Amino acid sequence: MREAGSGRFVGLGASGPFGGHGVSAAVHGPGPGGGAHQVTLRTPAELADALPYLLGYRPEDSIVLVALHDRDRRGRFGGRARLGIPRQAEDWPSAAEQLAQGLVKGSERRGARPESMVLFLCREPESGESGREVVERLRPLAQLLRTACGRLDVPVVEGLCISDGRFWSYVCPGQGCCPPEGHTMGLPGTSVLAAAATYAGLQVRGSLKELTERLLPWETSAAREQEAALDTASMALVPRILDEEGRAAVAEQSLELAGRLMKRLTDTPPVSGTRPADLRDDSLLEHEEAATLILGLQDRTTRDRAAQWMEGDEAGPALRLWRALARRCVGPYREHAAAPLTLAGWVAWSTGDELEAREALAMALGADPDYLFARLLHQACNEGLDPESVRRCLRAERTERASEGHALEGRASEGRTSEDGEQPTGCAAPDPAPPASDVAVRAAGAPEATSRAFAPATRRRHRSRSAAGGVARSGRRSAQAAKARRRRPTDGTSPSGEGPGRAETEAPGRPRAHREGGRHGAGEDD
């Protein structure tokens, strides 16, 4: 959980079943004396209303578990874990075990095993279905989750199903607790908790779907043009990146292009609304520019240098640029989205937006499950580590690079040891390498693998080979993509649309994390 000033809930307590007890939640935020704002949740209705404020968005088609701490039931909120409801009922037992164990073990790693849980099932009715039918259809899932938590000696003290603007309890103490038609949810933003959250500066976004759609590849007629530009850029850039000297030149050109695009985004007047803002950003990038930068970021050292735009005035336009590039990794180039999605996740985490960070990093892993930089950042974010340790490392490398003189000379010297036999230090690309020294990430409690990702490099040759290897794999995929595109019929079978955008429904190539019910996104929220 965040400390004071974070604008997040930090406490929840309960006494007895939720039907007639008190629940208290503390919200830290600006206020008189800088203290915490205390809110008491007394009914399941208020608990249901609290869910969007716990997550920072309105969940859809989701299982949510919230850990409760302190045996006197006047404690605090613990971790939160979300998982998409599996489409097939036969997957429910494994999903229940995964979510319960993940949240309990994650809490234990942070030194606070939960004493109990609150369960939420969120799903809207299908065509011709009522909310009550949703409740009954999901009742076996609720029971599996209660049993999975019980086996871990962490009982579920309340379980709510939220559907069609109503809620039902799965743990009613007796008949007549919940009417068959359920209880009506209050209007959003009208509860005492909503007022306190607003006062504390908390904001609830839209749905998770709206957040992820900002990062999904286009599914419009513009995608065909972008794919053609990616084919062309791949043929031109991949051979150069695989060459030692050519890679340094491509890196400088890619970073210079990224800088120009960030300035272009910054200089354009803002527009209100996430969808109009994304469309405006899309219109500011040419297909060829986006393709060149997407291919350039497949070089891991180039990506690491781009990650240094992580704070201050640079962070905002950098995040917008990485989102826009992720949307342009279309067709067979979807796997290339791992680099811009990871950068988007990193900048979001660095600037305090853990929700977008987790989703972007999960989507990066969906695009490429072996993308180590995304995996380590995702783990560090879920472990509740302070991103400042990573920022310090990247700042040090930026300072070192600036002191080397000409950027091109510095890039060319990365493959050589210094004359006195010592190795230049800096943040290595996140490939497995022998650890050279402790760094701030390890001091903050990160696993050893995370430390290696950001440890000072002991061999620049290893780094160069690793970077080239990643681009070589990318080059093979790009060549295959180009061949596949040439074989595809051009009879108008591509998606159509009036301009850049994303599909309303889940695309067939959607990242694995979301196709499989959000498993990559099921990390604990603190």
Side-chain angles (χ1 to χ4, degrees), residues 74-254:
R74 304 302 303 175
R76 60 183 178 84
F77 280 128
R80 284 89 68 201
R82 187 206 69 87
L83 190 67
I85 298 176
R87 296 181 182 275
Q88 304 299 323
E90 55 263 31
D91 295 328
W92 290 357
S94 60
E97 292 290 339
Q98 174 190 346
L99 200 62
Q101 291 188 18
L103 183 52
V104 171
K105 290 180 179 178
S107 298
E108 289 176 339
R109 284 196 299 270
R110 292 186 293 274
R113 179 182 174 85
E115 277 72 46
S116 56
M117 297 276 195
V118 176
L119 164 67
F120 299 88
L121 295 180
C122 306
R123 171 167 279 180
E124 290 304 302
E126 297 178 357
S127 178
E129 187 179 33
S130 68
R132 177 65 181 178
E133 290 171 326
V134 172
V135 174
E136 295 305 322
R137 181 155 55 90
L138 297 181
R139 188 176 294 277
L141 174 59
Q143 185 59 36
L144 287 167
L145 287 156
R146 296 178 67 186
T147 302
C149 292
R151 279 195 291 268
L152 298 171
D153 198 24
V154 184
V156 173
V157 295
E158 180 60 282
L160 299 179
C161 181
I162 300 174
S163 181
D164 198 24
R166 296 176 175 271
F167 71 88
W168 292 258
S169 174
Y170 286 119
V171 295
C172 287
Q175 296 297 326
C177 175
C178 284
E181 66 276 12
H183 296 281
T184 303
M185 296 280 293
L187 293 175
T190 60
S191 67
V192 175
L193 180 60
T198 301
Y199 181 64
L202 289 173
Q203 293 183 349
V204 176
R205 305 188 189 187
S207 67
L208 186 63
K209 178 182 177 183
E210 292 170 345
L211 175 62
T212 57
E213 280 182 344
R214 305 190 71 184
L215 303 169
L216 287 174
W218 288 348
E219 291 288 346
T220 69
S221 57
R224 178 62 67 88
E225 299 175 26
Q226 183 61 64
E227 186 178 333
L230 284 163
D231 287 345
T232 302
S234 176
M235 298 296 184
L237 292 179
V238 170
R240 295 179 59 198
I241 296 175
L242 293 176
D243 175 72
E244 184 72 21
E245 294 184 2
R247 180 165 65 256
V250 171
E252 295 304 325
Q253 293 166 3
S254 298

Side-chain angles (χ1 to χ4, degrees), residues 195-317:
T198 301
Y199 181 64
L202 289 173
Q203 293 183 349
V204 176
R205 305 188 189 187
S207 67
L208 186 63
K209 178 182 177 183
E210 292 170 345
L211 175 62
T212 57
E213 280 182 344
R214 305 190 71 184
L215 303 169
L216 287 174
W218 288 348
E219 291 288 346
T220 69
S221 57
R224 178 62 67 88
E225 299 175 26
Q226 183 61 64
E227 186 178 333
L230 284 163
D231 287 345
T232 302
S234 176
M235 298 296 184
L237 292 179
V238 170
R240 295 179 59 198
I241 296 175
L242 293 176
D243 175 72
E244 184 72 21
E245 294 184 2
R247 180 165 65 256
V250 171
E252 295 304 325
Q253 293 166 3
S254 298
L255 294 168
E256 181 184 359
L257 173 60
R260 292 201 310 270
L261 295 178
M262 286 169 56
K263 185 177 187 306
R264 189 184 303 168
L265 293 172
T266 302
D267 292 344
T268 304
V271 297
S272 59
T274 56
R275 174 67 170 168
D278 289 344
L279 287 173
R280 188 275 315 275
D281 289 350
D282 287 340
S283 69
L284 295 175
L285 274 63
E286 299 294 336
H287 294 308
E288 293 75 15
E289 292 174 329
T292 298
L293 192 48
I294 288 169
L295 268 296
L297 290 174
Q298 304 309 305
D299 173 37
R300 295 171 183 176
T301 52
T302 304
R303 177 209 61 201
D304 290 350
R305 290 178 64 186
Q308 296 167 11
W309 293 316
M310 60 191 172
E311 56 190 341
D313 294 338
E314 295 174 334

